[in-house]
Each structure stands twice: as structure tokens, then as C-alpha cells.
Amino acid sequence: MDKLTKEQRHRCMASIRGKGTKPEITVRKFLFSRGFRYRLNHPRLPGRPDLVLRKYRSVIFVNGCFWHGHENCKYHVLPKSNAEFWQAKIERNHARDIEEQRKLAQMGWHCITVWECQLKPAVREKTLESLAFTLNSIFLKDHSVKRYALPKEEHAMAAEPYFSNE
């Protein structure tokens, strides 16, 4: 049974934000301090990713474990009341996330998902360092100099060879 009244629960759930969350701000501060520049919630990209790094052709989604259905995570626990509603809602969110990432991949974007549980103090530094490493690896892979082997050229002649009949 819920400890709050229906109005209190409604007010509580309505106050949950989708932008500017603590996990998102943690990632933003880390990336900015490391020299990464980004845009927030780009409206023309599918799913309005939390962070868009155009130079790296990458998008970052900072997902809450409960809202996006992070499997095998202690923060993804379904409420006991109205369980069918929450199960359906989280499954829709998860399916929508997969579809948005598929569309972004087709457009040539690299999709990175950072989960809320990966930003807890015990593992935060490791997660953020691996994020920076991943972004740098993507940049190097996409911008490396490609060396092509030139095919052997046969000397083409502009005119017939000159033979003297003497």
C-alpha cells in the first residue's frame, strides 16, 4: 500500500525532471573539464539525446535505472502497487530507447548510454574515465589517416609512338 495520498503521489511523480538531472550534470561537468564540448538535447535528432558531441559524431544518453529498465540493477525495482502499469511503461521506454539508438546508428552517430548506477561514488571515476577513453577512441578511429595503395599505373600514351622508317 502506498504511504502517500493520490494527490501527494501525483505531485511527487510530476516533479521528476527529464533534463538537468544530477547524473547528467555529473557527466556534463566531467566532459567539460576534460575539454569535450557538447550540445544539450538536440531537437532534430531522434530521442533528443542528453549530450551531443558533433566533433566525435557521438551522442550520450544518461539513463535512470528505474525509468529505462536497467536489467540486473538494484535500482530497477518495480513498485508493488499498480505493477502492470509500471511494467508496461518501462517496457515501452526500453523499446523506444532501442528504436531511437537504431535510428541514430543509421544516421552515422555513435550511441553511448551511461546508467545512473554507474555514476554512484564507488564507480563514478572509472565510468567517467572509460567514457573519455571511448570518445577519444571514436575520434581517432573516425579521423585516422587512411592510406590507400595506389594501383600500378601503366604509362598511357598520348600519341602513337614515333618510328622512323629509315
Side-chain angles (χ1 to χ4, degrees):
M1 191 68 180
D2 199 359
K3 296 178 182 178
L4 302 176
T5 66
K6 191 172 182 179
E7 293 80 24
Q8 289 172 328
R9 176 62 60 201
H10 176 74
R11 227 181 14 257
C12 182
M13 296 305 282
S15 67
I16 296 173
R17 297 175 296 173
K19 298 178 188 174
T21 61
K22 283 184 182 179
E24 184 181 330
I25 290 173
T26 301
V27 172
R28 286 170 28 191
K29 284 183 177 181
F30 174 80
L31 290 176
F32 194 86
S33 71
R34 294 295 170 101
F36 294 97
R37 298 301 180 251
Y38 49 82
R39 295 284 172 247
L40 300 176
N41 307 101
H42 197 287
R44 290 191 212 144
L45 290 177
R48 295 184 63 128
D50 297 318
L51 302 168
V52 178
L53 294 97
R54 288 186 357 180
K55 177 179 177 181
Y56 299 85
R57 196 94 175 132
S58 300
V59 298
I60 300 174
F61 291 96
V62 182
N63 289 346
C65 296
F66 172 75
W67 295 104
H68 295 271
H70 189 202
E71 296 176 10
N72 302 325
C73 177
K74 68 179 184 179
Y75 300 104
H76 174 58
V77 178
L78 285 177
K80 301 216 182 334
S81 62
N82 209 1
E84 301 83 29
F85 166 78
W86 287 110
Q87 180 69 33
K89 179 170 183 56
I90 291 169
E91 286 175 1
R92 283 192 315 268
N93 288 348
H94 190 67
R96 186 190 66 231
D97 291 344
I98 291 171
E99 181 62 23
E100 289 165 353
Q101 289 185 8
R102 186 187 62 75
K103 288 178 184 176
L104 286 164
Q106 285 178 342
M107 295 169 66
W109 290 90
H110 301 278
C111 298
I112 301 170
T113 301
V114 179
W115 292 98
E116 175 186 14
C117 63
Q118 294 172 327
L119 296 172
K120 297 297 179 187
V123 293
R124 178 182 302 150
E125 196 62 35
K126 183 178 176 184
T127 300
L128 295 174
E129 289 296 335
S130 67
L131 177 62
F133 179 80
T134 301
L135 289 170
N136 285 322
S137 298
I138 289 170
F139 181 79
L140 291 174
K141 181 182 171 195
D142 288 350
H143 293 87
S144 64
V145 176
K146 294 181 173 70
R147 302 191 188 274
Y148 297 103
L150 296 174
K152 290 186 177 180
E153 293 184 23
E154 293 183 20
H155 297 290
M157 298 198 158
E160 294 292 321
Y162 175 75
F163 294 105
S164 65
N165 289 338
E166 301 178 9

